[in-house]
Amino acid sequence: MRRPSVFLAAALLVGALAVPASAADGDEEFTIKDPRITESSGLAASRLHPGIYWTHNDSDDGAYLYAVDSATGETVATITMTGVGSPRDVEAISIGPGNQIYVGDIGDNLGGTWPHVWIYRLPEPKDLRDQTIRATQYVVKYSDGARDAESLVVHPKTGRVYILDKNEKGGHLYEGPAELSASGTNVFRPVAAVPDLEATDATLSPDGEHLVVRSYFGAIAYDWDGGDIKRKQRLGVPFLGQGESVTYTADGKKLMYGAEGADSPVEPQDAPGAEGTDSPSGNGGSSASDGGAGADGLSGNLKTGAIAAAAALVVLFGLRRLRRRN
C-alpha cells in the first residue's frame, strides 16, 4: 500500500527538518564529567574551538584550566598556567579579542580583605591537548577598597576588562584601565551600580552589546551602552544547585548556565536580544516572544515542523498524481 509509505516519508522529512538548531550548534545541555572538576566556578565558550567550554575549579586546585567538549561532557585538554604563582581563589573566566583567555583570581573568602587580587591572561591554544602555557599576571586593586568578587568580563571589541563585586545587597561594575599593566598595579573604578542580586558570574554577548549578570537563583540582562549599563529585564535561570557560572554561546543566541559540584550540569536558555527572545522570562519558562508557544499554541520548532509537513505532503501527493497519469 502506497498511502502509508507516503505518510511515513513525510513524517521522516518533518523529523529531519524539525530538529532544533541547537542540536547542530553545540549549545544543548551537558554534564561536566571530569572527576577533577568539582567546583566549576566560571565558564567561557571558545570562539576558536566550536562546542568547547573552558572552566576551572574555585580554589585549592592549582593553576589549571579545563577544556570541556559539550558534545560528550569530557575534558579534552588541561592547561597548566605558569608564571602566576599559586592561585588563591579563581572565580571567573572570559575570552577577549584575539582569543585571549582572561582568568579572574578575584575571590576573597575573607570577606574583602586581600590587599590585592590577580588577573591572568594567556592565549587560547590552537591545539586541544594537555600542555603548559605561560600566562601574564596582573595585580588588581579597587579604588574604593578591597572586596569580594566572582565575575569578570572582557569586552570583545576593546579588550577592556571589567569586574563585578559580590554583595548580597547588590554591587557595582568596576572598569579597569584601557590596557592592563603587568609591571604596576591596575586600579579598577566603579562605573555603574548592579543592584538587586548577589553576582556570582557575568557574561558579555559576542557583539559587546549586552551584559548578563547572574546570582545563585536569578539573572538580570542589561544593554551595555558603552559601560553605562541600562537594565533591560530579569531572567529566569534553571535551578542547578549552587549556580556559579554563565556564558553566552559563541553565536550569542543562548546563555549557558552552570553550577558547582561533581558531575555538574550546564543548561541553555534563550539569550535576551536573540531573535524572538525580547520579552522578560522571569519564571524561566517560555512565552510567545521567547521562542515558546505562541498565540497559535505552537512553539517555533513545532511551527517549522508543521509547515515542513504541509510542504512535504504537497510534494509527495503531487508525485503520486504524476505517477497515476503516467
Side-chain angles (χ1 to χ4, degrees), residues 69-85:
D69 185 349
S70 62
T72 64
E74 302 287 352
T75 298
V76 293
T78 300
I79 302 303
T80 302
M81 294 182 289
T82 61
V84 301

Side-chain angles (χ1 to χ4, degrees), residues 29-47:
E29 67 178 285
F30 63 96
T31 297
I32 297 175
K33 298 179 180 178
D34 193 328
R36 297 172 298 175
I37 305 173
T38 58
E39 293 184 298
S40 175
S41 191
L43 203 62
S46 173
R47 273 57 166 172

